Amino acid sequence: MSNRDDLMAAAKQCLREKGFTRTTARDLAAVSGVSLAAIGYHFGSKEALLSQAMIEATAEWVGELETALASEIDPNAPLAIRFETVWTRILEVATANRQLWAANFEVSPYIDAMPEVREVMAAAQEKAREGLAELFQGAVRPDDPAANRAVGAFHYALMTGVLAQWLIDPERAPSARDLTQALRIIAADVAG
């Protein structure tokens, strides 16, 4: 592996073990076996490296989720069944990546001081909205990108809210079944 690759692997490991704010440049250099100067050379800053690592690790998490769901979800299944199945898997995979999700929330209060991190995170958020629309709905509407974005934004907001609750109090955070029940109640109220 190259120094850049070693630093990225070290950053992902440190995010999982220490989180975003507790990881130091020295931690990254020690875990990667690369000099401190290599961080600046390859990524510009420790924060830029960690944010890129967080995005890549989150993409790996999403890939793991998609792989798990690919064999389980019938594309013709009713939305409520798809919804509960996706949420069951999200919570299972999130459990295995708890510190990574904590790191995602941990960076939020500092985002104004890190414009380069904000830019990378905003781009990743937009991509996540697109992916979530397809993951939950089963298909996107090629003729209506505004509808796709709205659906993706809804699922993204729900996901971040549920994961925040789960990080704080996993025993009382909503389950996949709770979320599906709520969706049915809300849909009935909207339709009625």
Short mmCIF file of all heavy atoms in Angstrom, two decimals, residues 1-15 23-46 49-50 52-53 56:
data_model
loop_
_atom_site.label_atom_id
_atom_site.label_comp_id
_atom_site.label_asym_id
_atom_site.label_seq_id
_atom_site.Cartn_x
_atom_site.Cartn_y
_atom_site.Cartn_z
N MET A 1 0.85 -1.19 0.00
CA MET A 1 0.00 0.00 0.00
C MET A 1 0.88 1.24 0.00
O MET A 1 1.98 1.24 0.54
CB MET A 1 -0.90 0.02 1.24
CG MET A 1 -2.04 -0.97 1.18
SD MET A 1 -3.45 -0.73 2.31
CE MET A 1 -2.82 -0.07 3.80
N SER A 2 0.34 2.33 -0.52
CA SER A 2 1.05 3.61 -0.54
C SER A 2 0.86 4.32 0.81
O SER A 2 0.01 3.92 1.62
CB SER A 2 0.49 4.49 -1.66
OG SER A 2 -0.83 4.89 -1.35
N ASN A 3 1.62 5.37 1.03
CA ASN A 3 1.46 6.16 2.25
C ASN A 3 0.04 6.69 2.36
O ASN A 3 -0.55 6.72 3.45
CB ASN A 3 2.45 7.33 2.27
CG ASN A 3 3.85 6.91 2.60
OD1 ASN A 3 4.11 5.77 3.00
ND2 ASN A 3 4.79 7.82 2.44
N ARG A 4 -0.51 7.13 1.23
CA ARG A 4 -1.89 7.65 1.22
C ARG A 4 -2.86 6.56 1.67
O ARG A 4 -3.75 6.81 2.49
CB ARG A 4 -2.23 8.16 -0.18
CG ARG A 4 -3.53 8.90 -0.26
CD ARG A 4 -3.79 9.39 -1.69
NE ARG A 4 -4.64 10.53 -1.77
CZ ARG A 4 -5.92 10.59 -1.40
NH1 ARG A 4 -6.50 9.55 -0.90
NH2 ARG A 4 -6.61 11.70 -1.52
N ASP A 5 -2.71 5.37 1.12
CA ASP A 5 -3.58 4.25 1.49
C ASP A 5 -3.41 3.87 2.95
O ASP A 5 -4.38 3.57 3.65
CB ASP A 5 -3.29 3.03 0.61
CG ASP A 5 -3.67 3.24 -0.85
OD1 ASP A 5 -4.52 4.12 -1.14
OD2 ASP A 5 -3.11 2.52 -1.70
N ASP A 6 -2.15 3.88 3.42
CA ASP A 6 -1.89 3.56 4.83
C ASP A 6 -2.55 4.58 5.75
O ASP A 6 -3.12 4.22 6.79
CB ASP A 6 -0.38 3.53 5.11
CG ASP A 6 0.32 2.34 4.46
OD1 ASP A 6 -0.37 1.34 4.13
OD2 ASP A 6 1.55 2.42 4.28
N LEU A 7 -2.48 5.86 5.37
CA LEU A 7 -3.12 6.90 6.17
C LEU A 7 -4.64 6.73 6.18
O LEU A 7 -5.29 6.89 7.23
CB LEU A 7 -2.76 8.29 5.65
CG LEU A 7 -1.37 8.79 6.02
CD1 LEU A 7 -0.98 9.99 5.17
CD2 LEU A 7 -1.31 9.12 7.51
N MET A 8 -5.22 6.39 5.03
CA MET A 8 -6.68 6.21 4.96
C MET A 8 -7.11 5.03 5.84
O MET A 8 -8.08 5.13 6.58
CB MET A 8 -7.12 6.01 3.52
CG MET A 8 -8.63 5.90 3.35
SD MET A 8 -9.57 7.32 3.98
CE MET A 8 -9.00 8.61 2.90
N ALA A 9 -6.38 3.93 5.76
CA ALA A 9 -6.71 2.76 6.59
C ALA A 9 -6.58 3.11 8.08
O ALA A 9 -7.42 2.73 8.90
CB ALA A 9 -5.81 1.58 6.23
N ALA A 10 -5.54 3.85 8.42
CA ALA A 10 -5.33 4.26 9.82
C ALA A 10 -6.46 5.19 10.28
O ALA A 10 -6.95 5.07 11.41
CB ALA A 10 -3.98 4.96 9.97
N ALA A 11 -6.87 6.10 9.41
CA ALA A 11 -7.94 7.03 9.77
C ALA A 11 -9.24 6.28 10.03
O ALA A 11 -9.96 6.58 11.00
CB ALA A 11 -8.13 8.08 8.68
N LYS A 12 -9.57 5.31 9.20
CA LYS A 12 -10.78 4.51 9.41
C LYS A 12 -10.71 3.75 10.72
O LYS A 12 -11.68 3.69 11.49
CB LYS A 12 -11.00 3.55 8.25
CG LYS A 12 -11.40 4.24 6.96
CD LYS A 12 -11.48 3.23 5.82
CE LYS A 12 -11.69 3.90 4.49
NZ LYS A 12 -11.69 2.92 3.38
N GLN A 13 -9.53 3.19 11.01
CA GLN A 13 -9.36 2.47 12.27
C GLN A 13 -9.50 3.41 13.46
O GLN A 13 -10.19 3.09 14.44
CB GLN A 13 -7.98 1.79 12.29
CG GLN A 13 -7.69 1.04 13.57
CD GLN A 13 -6.31 0.41 13.57
OE1 GLN A 13 -5.74 0.11 12.53
NE2 GLN A 13 -5.77 0.20 14.76
N CYS A 14 -8.87 4.57 13.38
CA CYS A 14 -8.95 5.54 14.48
C CYS A 14 -10.37 6.06 14.68
O CYS A 14 -10.80 6.25 15.83
CB CYS A 14 -7.99 6.70 14.24
SG CYS A 14 -6.25 6.26 14.47
N LEU A 15 -11.10 6.29 13.59
CA LEU A 15 -12.50 6.73 13.73
C LEU A 15 -13.30 5.70 14.51
O LEU A 15 -14.11 6.05 15.37
CB LEU A 15 -13.13 6.94 12.35
CG LEU A 15 -12.77 8.23 11.64
CD1 LEU A 15 -13.27 8.20 10.21
CD2 LEU A 15 -13.31 9.44 12.38
N THR A 23 -9.16 11.68 17.88
CA THR A 23 -8.04 11.18 17.06
C THR A 23 -7.09 12.34 16.78
O THR A 23 -7.50 13.40 16.30
CB THR A 23 -8.57 10.61 15.73
OG1 THR A 23 -9.38 9.46 16.02
CG2 THR A 23 -7.42 10.18 14.83
N THR A 24 -5.83 12.12 17.08
CA THR A 24 -4.81 13.15 16.83
C THR A 24 -4.02 12.80 15.58
O THR A 24 -4.03 11.66 15.11
CB THR A 24 -3.83 13.25 18.02
OG1 THR A 24 -3.09 12.02 18.10
CG2 THR A 24 -4.57 13.52 19.34
N ALA A 25 -3.29 13.78 15.08
CA ALA A 25 -2.41 13.54 13.94
C ALA A 25 -1.35 12.50 14.33
O ALA A 25 -0.98 11.65 13.52
CB ALA A 25 -1.76 14.84 13.49
N ARG A 26 -0.88 12.56 15.55
CA ARG A 26 0.10 11.56 16.01
C ARG A 26 -0.48 10.15 16.02
O ARG A 26 0.21 9.19 15.69
CB ARG A 26 0.62 11.94 17.40
CG ARG A 26 1.49 13.16 17.40
CD ARG A 26 2.22 13.34 18.73
NE ARG A 26 2.88 14.61 18.84
CZ ARG A 26 3.97 14.95 18.19
NH1 ARG A 26 4.54 14.11 17.36
NH2 ARG A 26 4.51 16.15 18.35
N ASP A 27 -1.75 10.03 16.40
CA ASP A 27 -2.42 8.72 16.33
C ASP A 27 -2.38 8.20 14.90
O ASP A 27 -2.07 7.02 14.65
CB ASP A 27 -3.89 8.81 16.77
CG ASP A 27 -4.08 9.14 18.22
OD1 ASP A 27 -3.20 8.78 19.05
OD2 ASP A 27 -5.12 9.76 18.54
N LEU A 28 -2.75 9.05 13.96
CA LEU A 28 -2.80 8.65 12.56
C LEU A 28 -1.42 8.23 12.04
O LEU A 28 -1.30 7.23 11.34
CB LEU A 28 -3.36 9.79 11.71
CG LEU A 28 -4.82 10.15 12.00
CD1 LEU A 28 -5.18 11.49 11.37
CD2 LEU A 28 -5.75 9.06 11.51
N ALA A 29 -0.40 9.00 12.42
CA ALA A 29 0.96 8.67 12.00
C ALA A 29 1.42 7.35 12.62
O ALA A 29 1.99 6.50 11.94
CB ALA A 29 1.91 9.80 12.36
N ALA A 30 1.11 7.17 13.90
CA ALA A 30 1.54 5.94 14.58
C ALA A 30 0.85 4.71 14.02
O ALA A 30 1.49 3.68 13.75
CB ALA A 30 1.27 6.06 16.09
N VAL A 31 -0.45 4.78 13.82
CA VAL A 31 -1.21 3.62 13.33
C VAL A 31 -0.82 3.30 11.88
O VAL A 31 -0.72 2.14 11.50
CB VAL A 31 -2.74 3.86 13.45
CG1 VAL A 31 -3.52 2.77 12.75
CG2 VAL A 31 -3.13 3.94 14.92
N SER A 32 -0.56 4.33 11.09
CA SER A 32 -0.24 4.11 9.67
C SER A 32 1.23 3.78 9.44
O SER A 32 1.56 3.22 8.39
CB SER A 32 -0.60 5.36 8.84
OG SER A 32 0.24 6.44 9.19
N GLY A 33 2.08 4.17 10.38
CA GLY A 33 3.52 4.00 10.17
C GLY A 33 4.08 5.02 9.19
O GLY A 33 5.14 4.82 8.60
N VAL A 34 3.37 6.13 9.03
CA VAL A 34 3.74 7.19 8.08
C VAL A 34 4.05 8.45 8.87
O VAL A 34 3.54 8.65 9.97
CB VAL A 34 2.57 7.40 7.08
CG1 VAL A 34 2.83 8.57 6.17
CG2 VAL A 34 2.32 6.15 6.27
N SER A 35 4.87 9.32 8.33
CA SER A 35 5.24 10.54 9.04
C SER A 35 4.06 11.50 9.17
O SER A 35 3.12 11.47 8.38
CB SER A 35 6.38 11.25 8.31
OG SER A 35 5.90 11.85 7.12
N LEU A 36 4.15 12.39 10.16
CA LEU A 36 3.13 13.43 10.34
C LEU A 36 3.02 14.30 9.10
O LEU A 36 1.92 14.69 8.71
CB LEU A 36 3.48 14.31 11.54
CG LEU A 36 3.16 13.76 12.93
CD1 LEU A 36 3.81 14.63 14.00
CD2 LEU A 36 1.67 13.69 13.13
N ALA A 37 4.13 14.61 8.48
CA ALA A 37 4.13 15.48 7.30
C ALA A 37 3.32 14.87 6.15
O ALA A 37 2.75 15.60 5.33
CB ALA A 37 5.56 15.76 6.85
N ALA A 38 3.24 13.56 6.09
CA ALA A 38 2.51 12.89 5.00
C ALA A 38 1.02 13.21 5.05
O ALA A 38 0.35 13.23 4.02
CB ALA A 38 2.74 11.39 5.05
N ILE A 39 0.50 13.48 6.25
CA ILE A 39 -0.92 13.82 6.37
C ILE A 39 -1.20 15.10 5.59
O ILE A 39 -2.13 15.15 4.77
CB ILE A 39 -1.33 13.98 7.86
CG1 ILE A 39 -1.19 12.64 8.58
CG2 ILE A 39 -2.75 14.53 7.97
CD1 ILE A 39 -1.30 12.74 10.09
N GLY A 40 -0.40 16.12 5.83
CA GLY A 40 -0.57 17.39 5.12
C GLY A 40 -0.32 17.25 3.63
O GLY A 40 -1.04 17.83 2.81
N TYR A 41 0.69 16.47 3.28
CA TYR A 41 1.03 16.30 1.87
C TYR A 41 -0.11 15.63 1.10
O TYR A 41 -0.46 16.06 0.01
CB TYR A 41 2.31 15.47 1.75
CG TYR A 41 2.69 15.17 0.33
CD1 TYR A 41 3.30 16.14 -0.46
CD2 TYR A 41 2.43 13.92 -0.23
CE1 TYR A 41 3.63 15.88 -1.79
CE2 TYR A 41 2.76 13.65 -1.55
CZ TYR A 41 3.36 14.62 -2.32
OH TYR A 41 3.69 14.37 -3.63
N HIS A 42 -0.67 14.59 1.66
CA HIS A 42 -1.69 13.81 0.94
C HIS A 42 -3.11 14.35 1.11
O HIS A 42 -3.94 14.18 0.21
CB HIS A 42 -1.66 12.35 1.38
CG HIS A 42 -0.45 11.62 0.91
ND1 HIS A 42 -0.24 11.29 -0.41
CD2 HIS A 42 0.65 11.18 1.58
CE1 HIS A 42 0.92 10.66 -0.54
NE2 HIS A 42 1.47 10.57 0.65
N PHE A 43 -3.41 14.96 2.27
CA PHE A 43 -4.80 15.34 2.54
C PHE A 43 -4.99 16.80 2.91
O PHE A 43 -6.12 17.27 2.99
CB PHE A 43 -5.38 14.45 3.65
CG PHE A 43 -5.48 13.01 3.22
CD1 PHE A 43 -4.48 12.11 3.52
CD2 PHE A 43 -6.58 12.57 2.49
CE1 PHE A 43 -4.56 10.78 3.11
CE2 PHE A 43 -6.67 11.25 2.08
CZ PHE A 43 -5.66 10.35 2.39
N GLY A 44 -3.94 17.52 3.20
CA GLY A 44 -4.06 18.93 3.56
C GLY A 44 -4.16 19.15 5.07
O GLY A 44 -3.57 20.07 5.60
N SER A 45 -4.93 18.30 5.75
CA SER A 45 -5.08 18.44 7.20
C SER A 45 -5.58 17.13 7.80
O SER A 45 -6.12 16.28 7.07
CB SER A 45 -6.06 19.56 7.55
OG SER A 45 -7.38 19.19 7.16
N LYS A 46 -5.43 17.02 9.09
CA LYS A 46 -5.95 15.85 9.80
C LYS A 46 -7.47 15.78 9.63
O LYS A 46 -8.04 14.71 9.40
CB LYS A 46 -5.60 15.95 11.29
CG LYS A 46 -6.27 14.89 12.15
CD LYS A 46 -6.18 15.22 13.62
CE LYS A 46 -7.33 16.13 13.97
NZ LYS A 46 -7.68 16.18 15.37
N LEU A 49 -8.44 14.48 6.20
CA LEU A 49 -8.21 13.04 6.15
C LEU A 49 -9.32 12.30 6.88
O LEU A 49 -9.90 11.34 6.36
CB LEU A 49 -6.85 12.69 6.75
CG LEU A 49 -6.57 11.20 7.05
CD1 LEU A 49 -6.74 10.33 5.82
CD2 LEU A 49 -5.18 11.04 7.65
N LEU A 50 -9.63 12.73 8.09
CA LEU A 50 -10.67 12.05 8.87
C LEU A 50 -12.04 12.16 8.22
O LEU A 50 -12.81 11.19 8.23
CB LEU A 50 -10.71 12.60 10.30
CG LEU A 50 -9.55 12.17 11.20
CD1 LEU A 50 -9.61 12.92 12.53
CD2 LEU A 50 -9.55 10.67 11.43
N GLN A 52 -12.66 12.47 4.99
CA GLN A 52 -12.66 11.58 3.82
C GLN A 52 -12.75 10.12 4.27
O GLN A 52 -13.46 9.32 3.67
CB GLN A 52 -11.40 11.81 2.98
CG GLN A 52 -11.41 11.05 1.68
CD GLN A 52 -12.58 11.41 0.77
OE1 GLN A 52 -12.91 12.59 0.61
NE2 GLN A 52 -13.21 10.42 0.19
N ALA A 53 -12.05 9.79 5.35
CA ALA A 53 -12.12 8.43 5.88
C ALA A 53 -13.53 8.11 6.37
O ALA A 53 -14.03 6.99 6.18
CB ALA A 53 -11.11 8.26 7.02
N GLU A 56 -15.65 7.45 3.31
CA GLU A 56 -15.36 6.14 2.72
C GLU A 56 -15.85 5.01 3.61
O GLU A 56 -16.40 4.02 3.11
CB GLU A 56 -13.85 6.01 2.45
CG GLU A 56 -13.40 6.84 1.28
CD GLU A 56 -11.95 6.61 0.90
OE1 GLU A 56 -11.39 5.54 1.24
OE2 GLU A 56 -11.38 7.50 0.23
#
